[in-house]
Amino acid sequence: MSTKAAFIFIALENDFNKHRAVIDSPVVELSVVGVKNYDEAEEVALKLVAEGVTAIELCAGFGNEGTARIARAVKGKAVVGVVRFDLHPAFDHQSGDDLF
């Protein structure tokens, strides 16, 4: 049985209903979902946990506040990790905390 994990990436133009994929490898079933803000990220994280996801990795667009929001939302039902840039190159070198 493979582990269910997810990667959530954030950008203003994302539509979580369209910008998503599932990669099913022998070890990990990875859901990749794009969201447009922290509110949507919380909603998506809760849906993923309800689908059995036990590990969520957040893209570098999530600042410290965004990461904390997702961790609080899932309430220990999934571990939350994050890829880190202090200032994200795709966001004109700003933190997601300043944008979302």
Side-chain angles (χ1 to χ4, degrees):
M1 180 175 182
S2 64
T3 299
K4 284 189 163 190
F7 178 75
I8 301 175
F9 65 101
I10 191 165
L12 290 172
E13 299 82 12
N14 285 340
D15 176 342
F16 69 86
N17 291 305
K18 292 193 303 188
H19 301 116
R20 61 185 318 131
V22 176
I23 301 165
D24 193 8
S25 78
V27 179
V28 177
E29 180 184 294
L30 177 66
S31 296
V32 179
V33 184
V35 298
K36 67 181 174 188
N37 56 43
Y38 290 168
D39 290 337
E40 276 192 4
E42 288 178 339
E43 178 183 345
V44 166
L46 289 171
K47 287 179 182 179
L48 290 165
V49 166
E51 295 168 5
V53 166
T54 58
I56 298 173
E57 185 169 39
L58 304 173
C59 84
F62 285 84
N64 295 324
E65 292 172 29
T67 301
R69 284 181 61 172
I70 303 311
R72 279 193 303 271
V74 300
K75 297 178 182 172
K77 295 178 181 147
V79 293
V80 177
V82 66
V83 175
R84 292 299 313 151
F85 293 113
D86 288 334
L87 305 172
H88 197 289
F91 298 154
D92 197 26
H93 300 284
Q94 298 176 76
S95 169
D97 289 349
D98 295 330
L99 298 173
F100 306 109

